[in-house]
Amino acid sequence: MSSPAIVLVGPMGVGKSTVGRLLAERLGVTYRDTDDDIVTAEGRAIADIFVDEGEPAFRALEKRAVRTALTEHEGVLALGGGAVLDADTRGLLTGQRVVYLSMDVEEAVRRTGLGVARPLLAVNPRKQWRELMEARRHLYEEAATAVVPTDGRTPEEVTEAVLDALEMKEA
């Protein structure tokens, strides 16, 4: 059974995809994102799944996608922002190299504008982002081997900080 070199967790807009691709390049491995897996498998956007079927249906798809990716993928794996909500998923992350990429609300606003493509942030985005983080922060921390703040850092600086935190350098 294989397992990822690094698993990235954290809130939407923190830079998991950007940093994940940079980490994969540095380590000479492939990059995979479970949100992309879901979109490919379902043939529609995550926002559409939320609207058409609701959050519980999406979370069930997400749980399966994460389980599959954890057993199939040996490179850098990015999980969707809410993947850690599932206790079984957190259990599967035990023993993995999991990095929680963190940021504060001001950084989230600067990076994403807390835009319309985020179904969980459709009304009063700042307040909802804070509430999401209050509900999830401890779960990210519970799952994480290392926490790497991203505030005010470039993707390259975050990539280097992740490698330093995990004591990994390119192969």
Side-chain angles (χ1 to χ4, degrees):
M1 185 166 121
S2 65
S3 65
I6 300 172
V7 179
L8 299 176
V9 299
M12 58 191 87
V14 76
K16 295 182 299 282
S17 298
T18 301
V19 170
R21 287 184 183 93
L22 289 170
L23 284 166
E25 185 178 305
R26 288 280 303 272
L27 295 171
V29 297
T30 56
Y31 168 77
R32 183 169 176 175
D33 183 319
T34 57
D35 281 351
D36 292 343
D37 290 351
I38 294 165
V39 168
T40 299
E42 295 298 305
R44 56 194 168 137
I46 288 171
D48 293 339
I49 297 168
F50 266 81
V51 169
D52 296 343
E53 298 176 39
E55 185 175 358
F58 171 76
R59 295 294 173 210
L61 295 170
E62 181 175 57
K63 181 176 179 174
R64 281 195 299 276
V66 170
R67 184 184 314 111
T68 299
L70 286 171
T71 60
E72 292 179 354
H73 188 66
E74 296 180 348
V76 176
L77 178 64
L79 304 188
V84 298
L85 293 171
D86 182 76
D88 293 336
T89 296
R90 291 193 309 278
L92 292 173
L93 294 174
T94 302
Q96 303 279 346
R97 280 188 212 100
V98 179
V99 178
Y100 163 32
L101 299 180
S102 68
M103 69 178 167
D104 67 22
V105 69
E106 296 311 316
E107 187 79 359
V109 169
R110 188 182 70 74
R111 287 189 192 173
T112 67
L114 296 177
V116 295
R118 309 291 185 177
L120 293 179
L121 300 177
V123 180
N124 195 346
R126 283 178 193 251
K127 179 178 183 275
Q128 288 181 298
W129 193 87
R130 282 191 184 98
E131 289 172 0
L132 279 175
M133 285 308 299
E134 286 171 20
R136 295 177 180 181
R137 184 175 290 108
H138 71 285
L139 300 175
Y140 293 134
E141 291 169 351
E142 175 188 318
T145 307
V147 178
V148 174
T150 64
D151 302 271
R153 288 176 153 173
T154 66
E156 293 77 15
E157 290 168 334
V158 174
T159 299
E160 194 62 37
V162 168
L163 293 172
D164 288 345
L166 296 176
E167 299 180 353
M168 296 175 79
K169 294 296 173 182
E170 50 272 51

